Amino acid sequence: MTFAPEQLDRSKAELARLLHDLRKRAGLSQSTISKIETGRKIPCPTEVESILRDPRHSFVPDAA
């Protein structure tokens, strides 16, 4: 699913900054994120977990 920045009430620059921050926190390259976004790569479980384990959100609970 694709969204235009206007649909998300965000500027292109802000979305680019957010994606850059996510990529750095996840420890993934821009190339890897791009390939996942465009469907040229299926992320492995560790890549999915690193994306979802964002300290600002609670997508994945910490392991006990």
Side-chain angles (χ1 to χ4, degrees):
M1 179 181 284
T2 303
F3 294 98
E6 306 79 45
Q7 290 175 297
L8 301 174
D9 293 326
R10 306 273 177 116
S11 70
K12 286 183 183 180
E14 183 180 5
L15 291 174
R17 182 188 56 78
L18 291 171
L19 183 58
H20 176 76
D21 291 348
L22 169 67
R23 153 181 99 66
K24 288 186 78 165
R25 285 190 310 275
L28 300 172
S29 71
Q30 184 277 330
S31 174
T32 298
I33 294 288
S34 178
K35 288 176 184 172
I36 292 169
E37 288 180 318
T38 59
R40 292 180 289 145
K41 177 181 185 352
I42 296 173
C44 67
T46 57
E47 290 169 329
V48 172
E49 185 174 339
S50 67
I51 291 169
L52 295 179
R53 195 176 295 284
D54 183 330
R56 297 181 308 168
H57 302 90
S58 58
F59 296 121
V60 177
D62 288 328

